[in-house]
Amino acid sequence: MIHDSLEQFLAALRAERRALGRRGPGAGQGAACGPMALIMIEDAAEIETTLRHHLALGFSRVVAFAPPDLPQPALTDPRLDWVRADTRSPSAGTDIVNAVTPAVPAGQWLYYCYNAEYLYFPFSEDRGIAELCAFLAEERREAAACVTVDLYARDLTAHPDGLSREQAHFDRLGYFAHGRRDAQNRPLDRQVDIFGGLRWRFEEHVPPERRQIVRVALFRAARGLKLGEDHRFDRAAYNEMQCPWHRSPTAAICSFRAAKALRRNPASRDVIASFDWAGATPFEWRARQLLDLGLMEPGQWF
């Protein structure tokens, strides 16, 4: 379905929520709605492959938000919505997530990313996103932490925009983490900042607030919930990597977004001759590779 504006899409969501509520107690709590993916389309790079990837993961609804000047791919899947919206302002992604969250039923699982980004989670070759969300709900988890894994083309002469699905590489090492602290410098339980990838190797070209790679991208909608510009929420439980009693599943968002930005920015493009280094390895486009390298983990989900 095509929506001419974000406001039109939000009105449709509210109408659907009211219809669910009229079905009786529990009908509007998101259990029957299935996970919904929100994909912010910023440019023309890999729009169709991004949408196809998330449809294949089993999302009940994939919503693409895109400016009017970008072409809509020829996809006929009934689960796909196309919404004309501003996605190029610095806070567009956060604003859209915070607009959609109160419009859906409380308890609805939501996921967000950008074009040329691809979600992987443990065993995603064989299991769907609904199965992961059901397990998280059984563990009384409200969210799953995702690590952004930067993808890039090593040969920038052949691929000057830094992007190639066929020649995609990522860093197999060089990641590190430290515990997060609040404004009073007190440690926050089970919260960490993780660094690595292109944002770490070329950190002089990346603003400090954009260098860490944890993104709480898969979460359950709740009244009053707000996403911040740091990809964390205003409720501590949503930002915790693990359960209090054992480790929880995490996911990875394999993303060309940093590579595109470093190649688009003249200050970085003119001084970065190559993304290649000894820690680069070809991306195999499968979850098992990310699990083996410790870039995500299954927790108690076997």
Side-chain angles (χ1 to χ4, degrees):
M1 183 177 293
I2 299 174
H3 304 268
D4 291 330
S5 68
L6 175 60
E7 291 71 25
Q8 186 184 89
F9 176 65
L10 294 175
L13 287 181
R14 295 187 195 103
E16 292 170 12
R17 187 185 67 197
R18 290 193 294 270
L20 282 172
R22 289 193 292 268
R23 295 180 187 177
Q29 299 306 306
C33 298
M36 180 189 302
L38 312 176
I39 300 179
M40 321 304 165
I41 310 296
E42 300 175 300
D43 54 36
E46 298 296 337
I47 295 175
E48 184 168 341
T49 63
T50 304
L51 298 177
R52 287 189 182 278
H53 176 85
H54 291 90
L55 288 166
L57 290 178
F59 280 97
S60 295
R61 193 171 194 170
V62 173
V63 187
F65 300 88
D69 60 295
L70 290 178
Q72 181 180 352
L75 293 176
T76 58
D77 195 301
R79 294 173 294 159
L80 178 63
D81 285 83
W82 188 268
V83 182
R84 296 186 176 96
D86 171 28
T87 59
R88 291 175 174 143
S89 66
S91 64
T94 302
D95 292 343
I96 289 172
V97 171
N98 285 333
V100 171
T101 300
V104 300
Q108 168 79 54
W109 282 97
L110 296 172
Y111 161 79
Y112 76 95
C113 71
Y114 299 82
N115 61 299
E117 293 193 326
Y118 308 88
L119 175 66
Y120 285 85
F121 51 86
F123 322 117
S124 56
E125 289 89 352
D126 305 305
R127 301 181 187 176
I129 186 66
E131 294 177 77
L132 174 62
C133 292
F135 179 81
L136 293 168
E138 290 173 1
E139 289 209 318
R140 291 178 286 168
R141 296 281 293 167
E142 301 299 322
C146 304
V147 172
T148 304
V149 178
D150 291 331
L151 300 179
Y152 51 86
R154 293 195 306 175
D155 185 351
L156 297 181
T157 301
H159 307 285
D161 59 357
L163 188 156
S164 170
R165 280 182 55 86
E166 294 74 20
Q167 301 297 322
H169 286 67
F170 71 102
D171 290 0
R172 71 176 186 276
L173 47 83
Y175 299 90
F176 63 97
H178 58 68
R180 297 189 77 214
R181 293 180 173 270
D182 64 14
Q184 287 73 45
N185 201 35
R186 297 172 298 196
L188 295 167
D189 289 343
R190 297 178 295 280
Q191 295 191 40
V192 299
D193 286 324
I194 301 176
F195 301 86
L198 296 179
R199 293 169 175 81
W200 170 64
R201 289 200 279 132
F202 301 102
E203 64 176 5
E204 66 272 21
H205 301 292
V206 181
E209 66 274 12
R210 295 182 181 274
R211 292 174 186 168
Q212 76 89 23
I213 58 175
V214 174
R215 186 192 304 179
V216 185
L218 180 63
F219 64 96
R220 299 186 85 176
R223 300 283 80 85
L225 182 69
K226 291 292 183 183
L227 177 69
E229 289 297 319
D230 61 352
H231 298 296
R232 313 285 182 123
F233 286 93
D234 59 355
R235 301 184 187 181
Y238 277 72
N239 302 325
E240 294 169 357
M241 295 284 290
Q242 307 296 343
C243 292
W245 45 87
H246 59 64
R247 302 189 73 81
S248 302
T250 61
I253 299 174
C254 298
S255 170
F256 284 107
R257 198 164 179 240
K260 290 192 298 176
L262 289 169
R263 295 300 295 166
R264 186 179 298 121
N265 185 344
S268 53
R269 183 180 63 236
D270 292 344
V271 298
I272 299 174
S274 173
F275 289 146
D276 196 15
W277 73 306
T281 193
F283 184 42
E284 300 173 0
W285 298 98
R286 61 189 185 97
R288 182 77 254 176
Q289 183 185 27
L290 300 167
L291 278 169
D292 290 344
L293 290 172
L295 292 171
M296 62 182 181
E297 60 178 288
Q300 303 299 304
W301 193 36
F302 300 114

